[in-house]
Amino acid sequence: MGSQNEEVKLLSFVCSPVCRRVEWALRLKGVDYQYIEEDIFNKSNLLLELNPVHKKVPVLVHGNKPIAESLVILEYIDETWKHQYPLLPQDPYERALTRFWIKFADEKVMYGGYVAMISIGDEQEKKVNEVREGMEKLEELIKGKRFFGGDKVGFLDIALGWITYVLPVWEEVGCMKILEPQKCPAISAWVNNILTHPLFKDCLPPKDELLAYNHRRRKQFNPALYH
Ligand SMILES: N[C@@H](CCC(=O)N[C@@H](CS)C(=O)NCC(=O)O)C(=O)O
């Protein structure tokens, strides 16, 4: 088993919400790490060596062991530095529920939101409606709580944190509205709780870079919109 004291490196990309969640987890646990920015349009040999299957960031390297896939990395971090700020609930059923909602949120809400941003017309409208429905399910989950983790930030808050700062950029770039404060007042309050929390507010990507990157993605799929 790896020692907690071995060196930690994170191959990351500033605009990636799945990389950002790993940084938040490391910071919450108080783990020192070396940040390595990757150019995802011109991938380094290091990335291709460390994540030969998907060739994507994030990759966490602990000692000499690489780990890919952000949610797998988050669980690894939680298990390795288990006494420092546990992220997943201790009860197996609560843990299973947390994993269920993370999977739902990643597949339906995050991926759906991204697809909506790069889509246009009827296709975009259909996607926006699907993602809004997903958001309403998350609204039920957080009603009456400050954070998804209860009184303090937990695994779900880290996994869903992208909603607080990337979603508004996707909405702006895609000319769409997904998070409706009247329909999702608890999520809207949570967004504010996250954005004023010291962990998150000091570790967010610059908005201009997020806008530029996401416009670049939308343009790739709809070049005519950018003439
Ligand atoms: N399911 C993966 C998604 C990773 C992913 O899509 N990373 C993007 C950055 S947001 C990437 O490396 N893209 C490069 C590419 O698609 O070639 C995770 O959660 O880690």
Side-chain angles (χ1 to χ4, degrees):
M1 187 164 148
S3 147
Q4 288 189 355
N5 300 326
E6 282 176 302
E7 201 182 33
V8 176
K9 292 185 192 145
L10 176 65
L11 266 75
S12 187
F13 166 53
V14 63
C15 293
S16 162
V18 290
C19 292
R20 189 64 46 171
R21 53 169 58 145
V22 175
E23 275 204 85
W24 287 334
L26 290 169
R27 286 175 179 227
L28 208 48
K29 296 267 186 186
V31 177
D32 284 334
Y33 61 98
Q34 184 192 348
Y35 180 95
I36 303 170
E37 177 75 3
E38 184 66 31
D39 178 356
I40 62 166
F41 297 102
N42 182 20
K43 293 174 187 173
S44 68
N45 288 335
L46 184 64
L47 176 62
L48 304 180
E49 242 168 63
L50 294 174
N51 188 2
V53 176
H54 293 299
K55 305 176 177 67
K56 291 185 178 190
V57 285
V59 180
L60 186 84
V61 189
H62 186 201
N64 53 9
K65 300 182 302 276
I67 308 146
E69 283 297 315
S70 63
L71 295 175
V72 175
I73 297 173
L74 288 190
E75 291 215 21
Y76 177 83
I77 291 173
D78 203 26
E79 285 176 14
T80 303
W81 291 274
K82 59 172 174 263
H83 300 302
Q84 291 144 254
Y85 202 104
L87 292 171
L88 274 175
Q90 297 305 303
D91 175 67
Y93 183 64
E94 290 298 321
R95 254 199 325 266
L97 287 182
T98 302
R99 292 190 177 113
F100 169 89
W101 284 111
I102 289 169
K103 187 164 158 43
F104 170 82
D106 260 26
E107 288 172 2
K108 297 275 183 228
V109 189
M110 184 165 72
Y111 184 66
Y114 178 75
V115 172
M117 183 213 34
I118 57 175
S119 307
I120 51 171
D122 291 348
E123 199 189 320
Q124 186 184 51
E125 201 182 311
K126 186 165 164 261
K127 232 11 191 192
V128 166
N129 287 333
E130 276 174 28
V131 179
R132 281 183 184 160
E133 274 173 31
M135 201 62 91
E136 285 170 34
K137 300 271 188 287
L138 298 178
E139 171 74 13
E140 291 304 312
L141 194 65
I142 198 178
K143 245 183 205 164
K145 292 192 281 190
R146 184 165 168 74
F147 296 109
F148 284 94
D151 292 336
K152 59 188 195 115
V153 164
F155 204 100
L156 263 172
D157 297 281
I158 288 190
L160 298 180
W162 64 271
I163 292 175
T164 66
Y165 72 96
V166 173
L167 186 65
V169 170
W170 288 353
E171 289 179 326
E172 185 175 335
V173 170
C175 309
M176 59 184 186
K177 190 72 192 154
I178 284 178
L179 181 58
E180 300 165 296
Q182 332 78 272
K183 286 214 171 133
C184 297
I187 299 253
S188 302
W190 168 80
V191 167
N192 196 44
N193 296 337
I194 290 288
L195 291 178
T196 51
H197 188 290
L199 168 77
F200 298 91
K201 81 171 165 33
D202 296 334
C203 187
L204 290 173
K207 185 158 182 209
D208 55 342
E209 287 189 45
L210 280 178
L211 279 169
Y213 170 68
N214 285 290
H215 271 298
R216 180 170 176 176
R217 287 298 192 195
R218 185 164 158 84
K219 187 177 174 185
Q220 271 180 333
F221 291 89
N222 309 283
L225 288 178
Y226 286 82
H227 279 312

